[in-house]
Amino acid sequence: LERANLAADQARQIVDKLLVYSRREDKAEQERVELSVIVKQTLELVHAQLRQDGVQVEVELASVPPVMGSSLELRQVLTNLLLNARDAALSPGSTATDSKIQTRCHDGWVYVQVLDHGPGVAPEIERRIFEPFFTTKEVGRGTGLGLSISHRIAVTYGGALEYEPPPGGGACFSLRLPALQA
């Protein structure tokens, strides 16, 4: 019964992600969003899970201008990125179990970056990581929708979700959104 409940929960999560992915709305309800607040809220949501897995997250929040977007969808993006960083930190080839999330502003853009010390993304699959249903996780561990949905959300709000391998290995995902002028 416990395994059936777990399987049903996994199926529900997959259906929920499919529904979000297939939604035809251009934009959810937009509001003025302070990304530092969204980062703190997201960390509160995933803190227990990260702690249970032994993953530490260094937080570096700069003073950045607000952006326009949906708080709910931006929390979803950061949750996906933080849980992917956790998975990378716990995978073979990881050099450390800590991750980092930081905010910064540059040339009219606000960035939230999530960095990990996992094995990184192999160059031969780098171009596919934002494709729907593409995953490197074993069966039952991922749907291949997290990065795809996150990328779509970023583009919806005039931004981007980008991957860049940091010097020394690991992965760095950057959510980039246009800064609101004061």
Side-chain angles (χ1 to χ4, degrees), residues 9 14 26-27 43 58 80 92 99 113 132 143 145 152 154 166:
D9 188 49
I14 291 169
D26 287 334
K27 295 182 182 179
L43 286 167
E58 179 185 346
N80 284 332
S99 300
Q113 294 180 304
T143 60
L145 289 173
R152 183 186 58 83

Side-chain angles (χ1 to χ4, degrees), residues 20-87:
V20 167
Y21 188 77
S22 66
R23 187 175 59 198
R24 295 284 183 223
E25 297 174 25
D26 287 334
K27 295 182 182 179
E29 190 172 321
Q30 286 192 58
E31 59 192 339
R32 186 179 179 97
V33 176
E34 299 288 340
L35 280 176
S36 293
V37 172
I38 299 299
V39 169
K40 290 175 187 175
Q41 290 171 341
T42 305
L43 286 167
E44 286 175 15
L45 290 172
V46 299
H47 175 74
Q49 192 170 4
L50 296 173
R51 187 181 68 228
Q52 178 183 346
D53 292 330
V55 175
Q56 298 289 323
V57 178
E58 179 185 346
V59 181
E60 207 174 276
L61 301 178
S63 178
V64 297
V67 299
M68 287 300 287
S70 161
S71 295
L72 179 65
E73 288 187 334
L74 294 174
R75 274 193 301 272
Q76 179 182 2
V77 170
L78 296 183
T79 298
N80 284 332
L81 296 179
L82 286 165
L83 293 180
N84 281 353
R86 178 220 42 205
D87 292 347

Side-chain angles (χ1 to χ4, degrees), residues 56 125 134 138 143:
Q56 298 289 323
I125 64 167
F134 178 78
E138 62 270 8
T143 60

Side-chain angles (χ1 to χ4, degrees), residues 87-106:
D87 292 347
L90 299 175
S91 68
S94 176
T95 59
T97 58
D98 63 318
S99 300
K100 182 177 186 177
I101 187 167
Q102 61 188 16
T103 59
R104 67 182 178 88
C105 185
H106 181 70

